[in-house]
Amino acid sequence: MAGPLAGKHVVLGVTGSIASFKAVDLASKLVQSGALVDVIMTYGATQFVTPLAFRSITHREVVTDTYDVSSEFANEHVALARRADIVVIAPATVNCIAKLAVGLADDPLTTTVIATAAPLLVAPAMDANMFDHPATQDNLAKLRSRGVAIAGPMPGRLASGLMGMGRMVEPVELLGHISAALGRSGDLSGRTIVISAGGTQEPIDPVRVITNNSSGKMGYALAEAARDRGARAVLVTAPTGLPNPPLVEVVNVRTAEQMALAVEEQVTVADALVMAAAVADYRPATAAEQKIKKSDDELSIDLARTRDILATVQGSFLRVGFAAESENLVANASDKVRRKSLDLIVANDITDADSGFGSDTNRVVLIDRQLNVEELPLLTKYEVGHRILDRIRDLLAKAD
Ligand code: CTP
């Protein structure tokens, strides 16, 4: 099943830094994601990692020398530039960034960059003092103003032993940055999509909560899909075990009431709200201030209703809900469309093993305001996200 990088032609530029070895992992992850990866190494990079390391992973020739007559790119040194869907430089040294800012073309990598029309993503890695230097800051600002995407650097312990800004963004996160850069001018660019995710936690006392089995995966995948089509994706999330998706704005909440307040704040500028969160319908009427001690007696907890976010939040944005049903899927979900006045509902049968909580796949039925029913096949949650976003795009275009 296809992800955002499948079939994409990625030119991976590697420059000389102790972070160069992480580029081997990045190349591997790109290949696993279905991308075609051509690696260009500077002389400096070859002092840290061998071209063979990359070739073993990409199964393609690694470019190290503009004037290598035996190279398949010898006669046409800009062939990669033309073929690229994106050029990624990871790690990018301070020297490489300076060359890019000026527009120099004195090695195979900078020659490719100056010759390509593809988007460019740069992941700097350097010592903190080099990063802080006004020359570097000016160079990065210049690149940004030209539309170059800059990922990182991150704070942390540097090779010099210093703590500071300069670590390269981790390869797994760079995948998100690359997907986002590829989709920057996608069909949802200029749109803001607010997505809720995860299962809310309603406190019983300072250590105990009432919650549910939601993994948050569907909402997170939706946020990534929206990001990868150029949208501003805002994820209002209850606690999950999932990492924050790069370039998605994350608002952390815990309870249904906190989620309601955060959603209300975020939707003021939204084009669509997608409530993928499993919001508790009930919460303990009062949360004990101190930890409840056990005794031999039975214990019961009074529950109070939470407010329904989707049904009550005000504003003129598209409303998309989810319905997790264990029986009468279409009838129950259609009823929710009417009751909550939704533009679209995404219904799934939670008794289906492929679509259960925590699964990476989902088989859903989409039901619109007119109660038209579209059954989707078993798809990854990321692909389901795109199908939902296709419908949102069409509905938004109609409303314009
Ligand atoms: N929802 C919400 N606020 C709540 C509860 C649910 O916004 N307090 C949203 C969910 O995020 C989801 C949709 O409403 O998008 C689910 O509708 P709901 O009728 O609450 O579904 P269930 O909780 O499954 O309802 P029921 O128990 O009646 O099946």
Side-chain angles (χ1 to χ4, degrees), residues 17-81:
S17 152
I18 188 63
S20 304
F21 78 94
K22 287 191 187 174
V24 179
D25 184 25
L26 176 61
S28 166
K29 287 188 161 63
L30 285 167
V31 170
Q32 285 170 43
S33 306
L36 294 163
V37 184
D38 278 308
V39 175
I40 305 177
M41 300 176 78
T42 61
Y43 172 75
T46 63
Q47 300 303 295
F48 287 92
V49 194
T50 65
L52 184 59
F54 287 102
R55 205 177 69 193
S56 307
I57 285 167
T58 63
H59 306 291
R60 297 162 81 86
E61 185 183 346
V62 173
V63 179
T64 53
D65 179 358
T66 320
Y67 301 106
D68 177 1
V69 286
S70 63
S71 162
E72 71 168 287
F73 304 110
N75 294 328
E76 226 196 335
H77 63 277
V78 292
L80 287 181

Short mmCIF file of all heavy atoms in Angstrom, two decimals, residues 17-81:
data_model
loop_
_atom_site.label_atom_id
_atom_site.label_comp_id
_atom_site.label_asym_id
_atom_site.label_seq_id
_atom_site.Cartn_x
_atom_site.Cartn_y
_atom_site.Cartn_z
N SER A 17 30.22 15.38 7.74
CA SER A 17 29.91 15.67 9.14
C SER A 17 29.87 14.34 9.86
O SER A 17 29.64 13.30 9.23
CB SER A 17 28.55 16.38 9.22
OG SER A 17 27.92 16.13 10.45
N ILE A 18 30.05 14.39 11.17
CA ILE A 18 29.91 13.14 11.93
C ILE A 18 28.49 12.60 11.78
O ILE A 18 28.24 11.41 11.95
CB ILE A 18 30.33 13.35 13.41
CG1 ILE A 18 30.38 12.03 14.18
CG2 ILE A 18 29.44 14.36 14.11
CD1 ILE A 18 31.39 11.05 13.66
N ALA A 19 27.54 13.48 11.41
CA ALA A 19 26.16 13.01 11.19
C ALA A 19 26.00 12.28 9.85
O ALA A 19 24.93 11.74 9.58
CB ALA A 19 25.18 14.18 11.26
N SER A 20 27.09 12.24 9.04
CA SER A 20 26.97 11.58 7.72
C SER A 20 26.51 10.13 7.86
O SER A 20 25.78 9.62 7.01
CB SER A 20 28.30 11.59 6.98
OG SER A 20 28.80 12.89 6.85
N PHE A 21 26.96 9.48 8.96
CA PHE A 21 26.58 8.06 9.10
C PHE A 21 25.07 7.90 9.26
O PHE A 21 24.50 6.89 8.90
CB PHE A 21 27.36 7.39 10.24
CG PHE A 21 26.84 7.71 11.61
CD1 PHE A 21 25.92 6.86 12.23
CD2 PHE A 21 27.24 8.87 12.28
CE1 PHE A 21 25.43 7.16 13.49
CE2 PHE A 21 26.74 9.17 13.53
CZ PHE A 21 25.82 8.32 14.13
N LYS A 22 24.40 8.95 9.80
CA LYS A 22 22.94 8.86 9.95
C LYS A 22 22.24 8.90 8.59
O LYS A 22 21.10 8.48 8.46
CB LYS A 22 22.40 10.02 10.80
CG LYS A 22 22.73 9.91 12.27
CD LYS A 22 21.92 10.95 13.00
CE LYS A 22 22.30 11.04 14.45
NZ LYS A 22 21.61 12.14 15.11
N ALA A 23 22.94 9.46 7.60
CA ALA A 23 22.35 9.52 6.26
C ALA A 23 22.21 8.11 5.68
O ALA A 23 21.37 7.88 4.80
CB ALA A 23 23.19 10.40 5.35
N VAL A 24 23.04 7.18 6.15
CA VAL A 24 22.91 5.79 5.68
C VAL A 24 21.56 5.25 6.14
O VAL A 24 20.82 4.62 5.38
CB VAL A 24 24.07 4.91 6.23
CG1 VAL A 24 23.92 3.47 5.77
CG2 VAL A 24 25.42 5.49 5.79
N ASP A 25 21.22 5.53 7.39
CA ASP A 25 19.92 5.12 7.94
C ASP A 25 18.78 5.81 7.17
O ASP A 25 17.77 5.18 6.83
CB ASP A 25 19.88 5.48 9.43
CG ASP A 25 18.62 5.01 10.12
OD1 ASP A 25 18.02 4.03 9.63
OD2 ASP A 25 18.24 5.62 11.13
N LEU A 26 18.97 7.09 6.87
CA LEU A 26 17.94 7.82 6.12
C LEU A 26 17.74 7.19 4.74
O LEU A 26 16.61 6.97 4.30
CB LEU A 26 18.32 9.30 5.98
CG LEU A 26 17.38 10.15 5.14
CD1 LEU A 26 15.96 10.17 5.73
CD2 LEU A 26 17.91 11.59 5.01
N ALA A 27 18.86 6.88 4.07
CA ALA A 27 18.76 6.25 2.74
C ALA A 27 17.99 4.94 2.85
O ALA A 27 17.13 4.63 2.02
CB ALA A 27 20.16 6.02 2.17
N SER A 28 18.28 4.18 3.88
CA SER A 28 17.61 2.90 4.08
C SER A 28 16.11 3.10 4.29
O SER A 28 15.28 2.40 3.69
CB SER A 28 18.26 2.20 5.28
OG SER A 28 17.47 1.13 5.69
N LYS A 29 15.76 4.07 5.12
CA LYS A 29 14.34 4.32 5.39
C LYS A 29 13.62 4.81 4.12
O LYS A 29 12.46 4.47 3.89
CB LYS A 29 14.17 5.34 6.52
CG LYS A 29 14.53 4.75 7.88
CD LYS A 29 14.18 5.70 9.01
CE LYS A 29 14.08 4.99 10.35
NZ LYS A 29 15.34 4.38 10.80
N LEU A 30 14.31 5.62 3.34
CA LEU A 30 13.70 6.09 2.09
C LEU A 30 13.45 4.94 1.13
O LEU A 30 12.38 4.84 0.52
CB LEU A 30 14.62 7.13 1.42
CG LEU A 30 14.65 8.52 2.07
CD1 LEU A 30 15.82 9.34 1.53
CD2 LEU A 30 13.33 9.26 1.82
N VAL A 31 14.44 4.05 1.02
CA VAL A 31 14.28 2.90 0.13
C VAL A 31 13.12 2.03 0.62
O VAL A 31 12.27 1.59 -0.16
CB VAL A 31 15.60 2.09 0.04
CG1 VAL A 31 15.39 0.76 -0.67
CG2 VAL A 31 16.67 2.91 -0.68
N GLN A 32 13.06 1.82 1.94
CA GLN A 32 11.96 1.01 2.49
C GLN A 32 10.60 1.66 2.25
O GLN A 32 9.58 0.97 2.21
CB GLN A 32 12.15 0.82 4.00
CG GLN A 32 13.22 -0.19 4.35
CD GLN A 32 13.56 -0.17 5.83
OE1 GLN A 32 12.67 -0.09 6.67
NE2 GLN A 32 14.83 -0.21 6.14
N SER A 33 10.59 2.99 2.13
CA SER A 33 9.33 3.69 1.87
C SER A 33 8.97 3.68 0.40
O SER A 33 8.00 4.33 -0.01
CB SER A 33 9.42 5.14 2.34
OG SER A 33 9.83 5.21 3.67
N GLY A 34 9.78 3.04 -0.42
CA GLY A 34 9.46 2.91 -1.84
C GLY A 34 10.06 3.98 -2.72
O GLY A 34 9.75 4.05 -3.91
N ALA A 35 10.93 4.84 -2.15
CA ALA A 35 11.55 5.90 -2.97
C ALA A 35 12.72 5.34 -3.77
O ALA A 35 13.34 4.34 -3.38
CB ALA A 35 12.04 7.03 -2.06
N LEU A 36 13.00 6.00 -4.91
CA LEU A 36 14.22 5.72 -5.68
C LEU A 36 15.25 6.72 -5.20
O LEU A 36 15.03 7.93 -5.31
CB LEU A 36 13.96 5.95 -7.17
CG LEU A 36 12.96 5.00 -7.81
CD1 LEU A 36 12.48 5.56 -9.14
CD2 LEU A 36 13.62 3.64 -8.02
N VAL A 37 16.35 6.22 -4.67
CA VAL A 37 17.28 7.12 -4.00
C VAL A 37 18.62 7.16 -4.74
O VAL A 37 19.27 6.12 -4.91
CB VAL A 37 17.51 6.68 -2.53
CG1 VAL A 37 18.41 7.68 -1.81
CG2 VAL A 37 16.18 6.55 -1.81
N ASP A 38 19.01 8.35 -5.18
CA ASP A 38 20.34 8.56 -5.76
C ASP A 38 21.14 9.40 -4.78
O ASP A 38 20.71 10.49 -4.40
CB ASP A 38 20.24 9.29 -7.10
CG ASP A 38 19.92 8.32 -8.22
OD1 ASP A 38 20.62 7.30 -8.35
OD2 ASP A 38 18.94 8.58 -8.95
N VAL A 39 22.30 8.88 -4.39
CA VAL A 39 23.11 9.57 -3.39
C VAL A 39 24.26 10.32 -4.08
O VAL A 39 24.92 9.78 -4.96
CB VAL A 39 23.66 8.58 -2.35
CG1 VAL A 39 24.60 9.28 -1.37
CG2 VAL A 39 22.51 7.91 -1.60
N ILE A 40 24.42 11.57 -3.68
CA ILE A 40 25.58 12.34 -4.12
C ILE A 40 26.37 12.68 -2.86
O ILE A 40 25.83 13.25 -1.91
CB ILE A 40 25.17 13.66 -4.81
CG1 ILE A 40 24.22 13.39 -5.97
CG2 ILE A 40 26.41 14.42 -5.28
CD1 ILE A 40 23.71 14.67 -6.66
N MET A 41 27.66 12.31 -2.83
CA MET A 41 28.49 12.59 -1.65
C MET A 41 29.55 13.63 -2.00
O MET A 41 30.15 13.58 -3.07
CB MET A 41 29.20 11.31 -1.19
CG MET A 41 28.26 10.20 -0.80
SD MET A 41 29.15 8.68 -0.37
CE MET A 41 29.73 9.08 1.28
N THR A 42 29.79 14.54 -1.06
CA THR A 42 30.93 15.43 -1.25
C THR A 42 32.19 14.68 -0.81
O THR A 42 32.12 13.62 -0.17
CB THR A 42 30.78 16.70 -0.38
OG1 THR A 42 30.74 16.30 0.99
CG2 THR A 42 29.52 17.47 -0.75
N TYR A 43 33.34 15.27 -1.15
CA TYR A 43 34.60 14.65 -0.72
C TYR A 43 34.61 14.50 0.80
O TYR A 43 35.00 13.46 1.34
CB TYR A 43 35.79 15.49 -1.20
CG TYR A 43 37.09 15.00 -0.61
CD1 TYR A 43 37.69 13.84 -1.10
CD2 TYR A 43 37.70 15.67 0.45
CE1 TYR A 43 38.86 13.35 -0.54
CE2 TYR A 43 38.87 15.20 1.01
CZ TYR A 43 39.44 14.04 0.52
OH TYR A 43 40.59 13.55 1.08
N GLY A 44 34.15 15.53 1.50
CA GLY A 44 34.13 15.48 2.97
C GLY A 44 33.31 14.30 3.48
O GLY A 44 33.71 13.60 4.42
N ALA A 45 32.17 14.06 2.85
CA ALA A 45 31.31 12.95 3.29
C ALA A 45 32.03 11.62 3.16
O ALA A 45 31.90 10.73 4.01
CB ALA A 45 30.02 12.95 2.49
N THR A 46 32.83 11.49 2.06
CA THR A 46 33.50 10.20 1.84
C THR A 46 34.59 9.95 2.88
O THR A 46 35.07 8.83 3.01
CB THR A 46 34.14 10.12 0.43
OG1 THR A 46 35.16 11.12 0.33
CG2 THR A 46 33.11 10.33 -0.66
N GLN A 47 34.97 10.99 3.62
CA GLN A 47 35.96 10.80 4.69
C GLN A 47 35.28 10.20 5.94
O GLN A 47 35.94 9.70 6.83
CB GLN A 47 36.63 12.14 5.06
CG GLN A 47 37.38 12.77 3.90
CD GLN A 47 38.43 11.82 3.33
OE1 GLN A 47 39.40 11.46 3.99
NE2 GLN A 47 38.21 11.39 2.09
N PHE A 48 33.97 10.29 6.01
CA PHE A 48 33.24 9.73 7.17
C PHE A 48 32.57 8.39 6.86
O PHE A 48 32.54 7.51 7.70
CB PHE A 48 32.15 10.72 7.63
CG PHE A 48 32.68 11.93 8.34
CD1 PHE A 48 32.97 13.09 7.63
CD2 PHE A 48 32.90 11.90 9.71
CE1 PHE A 48 33.47 14.21 8.28
CE2 PHE A 48 33.40 13.01 10.37
CZ PHE A 48 33.69 14.18 9.65
N VAL A 49 32.01 8.28 5.65
CA VAL A 49 31.28 7.07 5.27
C VAL A 49 31.71 6.70 3.85
O VAL A 49 31.96 7.59 3.03
CB VAL A 49 29.74 7.32 5.23
CG1 VAL A 49 28.97 6.02 5.17
CG2 VAL A 49 29.27 8.14 6.42
N THR A 50 31.75 5.42 3.54
CA THR A 50 32.15 5.05 2.18
C THR A 50 30.95 5.08 1.23
O THR A 50 29.82 4.79 1.64
CB THR A 50 32.74 3.63 2.13
OG1 THR A 50 31.70 2.71 2.49
CG2 THR A 50 33.92 3.48 3.06
N PRO A 51 31.21 5.38 -0.04
CA PRO A 51 30.13 5.32 -1.03
C PRO A 51 29.49 3.93 -1.08
O PRO A 51 28.29 3.79 -1.32
CB PRO A 51 30.84 5.65 -2.35
CG PRO A 51 32.04 6.45 -1.93
CD PRO A 51 32.47 5.91 -0.60
N LEU A 52 30.31 2.91 -0.81
CA LEU A 52 29.80 1.54 -0.84
C LEU A 52 28.66 1.34 0.15
O LEU A 52 27.71 0.58 -0.12
CB LEU A 52 30.95 0.57 -0.54
CG LEU A 52 30.62 -0.92 -0.62
CD1 LEU A 52 30.13 -1.30 -2.02
CD2 LEU A 52 31.84 -1.76 -0.24
N ALA A 53 28.73 2.01 1.29
CA ALA A 53 27.65 1.87 2.30
C ALA A 53 26.32 2.29 1.69
O ALA A 53 25.31 1.61 1.85
CB ALA A 53 27.97 2.71 3.54
N PHE A 54 26.35 3.40 0.96
CA PHE A 54 25.10 3.88 0.34
C PHE A 54 24.69 2.99 -0.83
O PHE A 54 23.51 2.68 -1.01
CB PHE A 54 25.25 5.33 -0.12
CG PHE A 54 25.28 6.30 1.02
CD1 PHE A 54 26.46 6.86 1.46
CD2 PHE A 54 24.11 6.65 1.67
CE1 PHE A 54 26.49 7.74 2.53
CE2 PHE A 54 24.11 7.52 2.74
CZ PHE A 54 25.31 8.08 3.17
N ARG A 55 25.69 2.59 -1.62
CA ARG A 55 25.35 1.78 -2.80
C ARG A 55 24.73 0.45 -2.39
O ARG A 55 23.85 -0.08 -3.06
CB ARG A 55 26.59 1.56 -3.68
CG ARG A 55 26.20 1.29 -5.11
CD ARG A 55 27.38 1.13 -6.02
NE ARG A 55 28.11 -0.10 -5.72
CZ ARG A 55 29.33 -0.38 -6.18
NH1 ARG A 55 29.96 0.49 -6.94
NH2 ARG A 55 29.92 -1.50 -5.88
N SER A 56 25.20 -0.09 -1.26
CA SER A 56 24.66 -1.36 -0.78
C SER A 56 23.18 -1.24 -0.45
O SER A 56 22.43 -2.21 -0.52
CB SER A 56 25.40 -1.82 0.48
OG SER A 56 26.78 -1.83 0.24
N ILE A 57 22.77 -0.05 -0.05
CA ILE A 57 21.37 0.17 0.35
C ILE A 57 20.50 0.58 -0.83
O ILE A 57 19.39 0.10 -1.00
CB ILE A 57 21.31 1.25 1.45
CG1 ILE A 57 21.79 0.63 2.76
CG2 ILE A 57 19.91 1.82 1.62
CD1 ILE A 57 22.07 1.65 3.82
N THR A 58 21.05 1.48 -1.67
CA THR A 58 20.22 2.02 -2.76
C THR A 58 20.30 1.16 -4.02
O THR A 58 19.44 1.28 -4.89
CB THR A 58 20.66 3.44 -3.13
OG1 THR A 58 22.02 3.38 -3.62
CG2 THR A 58 20.61 4.38 -1.93
N HIS A 59 21.34 0.33 -4.11
CA HIS A 59 21.60 -0.49 -5.31
C HIS A 59 21.74 0.40 -6.54
O HIS A 59 21.39 0.01 -7.64
CB HIS A 59 20.49 -1.54 -5.53
CG HIS A 59 20.28 -2.39 -4.32
ND1 HIS A 59 21.20 -3.30 -3.88
CD2 HIS A 59 19.28 -2.41 -3.40
CE1 HIS A 59 20.78 -3.87 -2.76
NE2 HIS A 59 19.61 -3.33 -2.45
N ARG A 60 22.22 1.59 -6.34
CA ARG A 60 22.42 2.52 -7.45
C ARG A 60 23.79 3.17 -7.29
O ARG A 60 24.33 3.24 -6.18
CB ARG A 60 21.33 3.61 -7.44
CG ARG A 60 19.96 3.02 -7.66
CD ARG A 60 18.88 3.97 -7.23
NE ARG A 60 18.60 4.98 -8.26
CZ ARG A 60 17.75 4.77 -9.26
NH1 ARG A 60 17.12 3.63 -9.37
NH2 ARG A 60 17.53 5.71 -10.14
N GLU A 61 24.29 3.64 -8.41
CA GLU A 61 25.60 4.28 -8.39
C GLU A 61 25.59 5.50 -7.47
O GLU A 61 24.61 6.26 -7.45
CB GLU A 61 25.96 4.72 -9.81
CG GLU A 61 27.35 5.29 -9.91
CD GLU A 61 27.67 5.80 -11.32
OE1 GLU A 61 26.91 5.46 -12.26
OE2 GLU A 61 28.65 6.52 -11.45
N VAL A 62 26.66 5.68 -6.71
CA VAL A 62 26.77 6.85 -5.83
C VAL A 62 27.69 7.86 -6.52
O VAL A 62 28.79 7.50 -6.96
CB VAL A 62 27.33 6.44 -4.46
CG1 VAL A 62 27.62 7.66 -3.60
CG2 VAL A 62 26.35 5.50 -3.76
N VAL A 63 27.24 9.09 -6.63
CA VAL A 63 28.02 10.10 -7.33
C VAL A 63 28.96 10.80 -6.34
O VAL A 63 28.52 11.28 -5.29
CB VAL A 63 27.09 11.15 -7.99
CG1 VAL A 63 27.89 12.23 -8.69
CG2 VAL A 63 26.11 10.47 -8.94
N THR A 64 30.26 10.81 -6.68
CA THR A 64 31.22 11.48 -5.80
C THR A 64 32.09 12.48 -6.55
O THR A 64 32.78 13.28 -5.95
CB THR A 64 32.16 10.47 -5.12
OG1 THR A 64 32.75 9.66 -6.14
CG2 THR A 64 31.41 9.59 -4.13
N ASP A 65 32.08 12.38 -7.88
CA ASP A 65 33.03 13.18 -8.65
C ASP A 65 32.37 13.67 -9.94
O ASP A 65 31.91 12.86 -10.75
CB ASP A 65 34.25 12.29 -8.97
CG ASP A 65 35.30 13.02 -9.79
OD1 ASP A 65 35.08 14.20 -10.15
OD2 ASP A 65 36.33 12.40 -10.08
N THR A 66 32.32 14.98 -10.11
CA THR A 66 31.69 15.56 -11.31
C THR A 66 32.40 15.10 -12.59
O THR A 66 31.78 15.00 -13.64
CB THR A 66 31.77 17.10 -11.27
OG1 THR A 66 31.53 17.52 -9.95
CG2 THR A 66 30.80 17.75 -12.23
N TYR A 67 33.70 14.85 -12.48
CA TYR A 67 34.49 14.60 -13.70
C TYR A 67 34.88 13.14 -13.87
O TYR A 67 35.82 12.82 -14.59
CB TYR A 67 35.74 15.50 -13.69
CG TYR A 67 35.35 16.95 -13.63
CD1 TYR A 67 35.52 17.68 -12.45
CD2 TYR A 67 34.79 17.59 -14.73
CE1 TYR A 67 35.13 19.01 -12.38
CE2 TYR A 67 34.39 18.92 -14.66
CZ TYR A 67 34.57 19.63 -13.50
OH TYR A 67 34.18 20.93 -13.42
N ASP A 68 34.14 12.22 -13.19
CA ASP A 68 34.45 10.80 -13.32
C ASP A 68 33.91 10.30 -14.66
O ASP A 68 32.70 10.13 -14.83
CB ASP A 68 33.80 10.03 -12.15
CG ASP A 68 34.03 8.53 -12.26
OD1 ASP A 68 34.69 8.11 -13.23
OD2 ASP A 68 33.53 7.81 -11.38
N VAL A 69 34.82 10.05 -15.62
CA VAL A 69 34.36 9.70 -16.97
C VAL A 69 33.68 8.34 -17.02
O VAL A 69 32.93 8.05 -17.94
CB VAL A 69 35.52 9.72 -18.00
CG1 VAL A 69 35.93 11.14 -18.32
CG2 VAL A 69 36.71 8.90 -17.51
N SER A 70 33.91 7.50 -16.02
CA SER A 70 33.29 6.17 -16.04
C SER A 70 31.87 6.18 -15.45
O SER A 70 31.17 5.19 -15.49
CB SER A 70 34.17 5.16 -15.28
OG SER A 70 34.24 5.55 -13.93
N SER A 71 31.47 7.33 -14.89
CA SER A 71 30.15 7.39 -14.25
C SER A 71 29.03 7.44 -15.29
O SER A 71 29.21 8.01 -16.38
CB SER A 71 30.07 8.64 -13.38
OG SER A 71 28.72 8.95 -13.09
N GLU A 72 27.89 6.84 -14.96
CA GLU A 72 26.76 6.90 -15.90
C GLU A 72 26.25 8.33 -16.08
O GLU A 72 25.48 8.63 -16.97
CB GLU A 72 25.62 5.96 -15.46
CG GLU A 72 24.87 6.41 -14.22
CD GLU A 72 23.58 5.63 -13.98
OE1 GLU A 72 22.61 5.86 -14.73
OE2 GLU A 72 23.54 4.83 -13.03
N PHE A 73 26.65 9.21 -15.16
CA PHE A 73 26.21 10.61 -15.25
C PHE A 73 27.28 11.51 -15.86
O PHE A 73 27.16 12.72 -15.86
CB PHE A 73 25.84 11.14 -13.86
CG PHE A 73 24.79 10.30 -13.19
CD1 PHE A 73 25.11 9.51 -12.10
CD2 PHE A 73 23.50 10.29 -13.69
CE1 PHE A 73 24.13 8.73 -11.49
CE2 PHE A 73 22.53 9.50 -13.09
CZ PHE A 73 22.85 8.71 -11.99
N ALA A 74 28.38 10.89 -16.38
CA ALA A 74 29.53 11.67 -16.83
C ALA A 74 29.17 12.70 -17.89
O ALA A 74 29.58 13.86 -17.80
CB ALA A 74 30.60 10.73 -17.36
N ASN A 75 28.42 12.29 -18.90
CA ASN A 75 28.14 13.21 -20.00
C ASN A 75 27.01 14.16 -19.68
O ASN A 75 26.86 15.19 -20.31
CB ASN A 75 27.79 12.42 -21.26
CG ASN A 75 29.00 11.64 -21.73
OD1 ASN A 75 30.13 12.10 -21.55
ND2 ASN A 75 28.76 10.47 -22.28
N GLU A 76 26.23 13.77 -18.73
CA GLU A 76 25.03 14.55 -18.45
C GLU A 76 24.99 14.80 -16.95
O GLU A 76 24.24 14.17 -16.23
CB GLU A 76 23.81 13.74 -18.87
CG GLU A 76 22.82 14.54 -19.65
CD GLU A 76 21.49 13.82 -19.70
OE1 GLU A 76 21.48 12.59 -19.58
OE2 GLU A 76 20.48 14.51 -19.83
N HIS A 77 25.84 15.70 -16.50
CA HIS A 77 25.99 15.81 -15.05
C HIS A 77 24.78 16.44 -14.37
O HIS A 77 24.71 16.48 -13.16
CB HIS A 77 27.28 16.55 -14.70
CG HIS A 77 27.29 17.97 -15.20
ND1 HIS A 77 27.63 18.29 -16.48
CD2 HIS A 77 26.98 19.12 -14.58
CE1 HIS A 77 27.52 19.59 -16.63
NE2 HIS A 77 27.12 20.12 -15.50
N VAL A 78 23.83 16.89 -15.14
CA VAL A 78 22.63 17.41 -14.50
C VAL A 78 21.44 16.46 -14.64
O VAL A 78 20.31 16.81 -14.36
CB VAL A 78 22.25 18.83 -15.02
CG1 VAL A 78 23.28 19.84 -14.59
CG2 VAL A 78 22.05 18.81 -16.52
N ALA A 79 21.75 15.21 -15.05
CA ALA A 79 20.67 14.23 -15.24
C ALA A 79 19.87 14.04 -13.95
O ALA A 79 18.64 14.00 -13.97
CB ALA A 79 21.23 12.90 -15.70
N LEU A 80 20.57 13.94 -12.84
CA LEU A 80 19.88 13.74 -11.56
C LEU A 80 19.01 14.94 -11.21
O LEU A 80 17.93 14.80 -10.65
CB LEU A 80 20.88 13.49 -10.44
CG LEU A 80 21.57 12.13 -10.45
CD1 LEU A 80 22.51 12.01 -9.26
CD2 LEU A 80 20.55 11.01 -10.42
N ALA A 81 19.51 16.11 -11.54
CA ALA A 81 18.77 17.34 -11.24
C ALA A 81 17.43 17.34 -11.94
O ALA A 81 16.42 17.78 -11.40
CB ALA A 81 19.58 18.55 -11.68
#
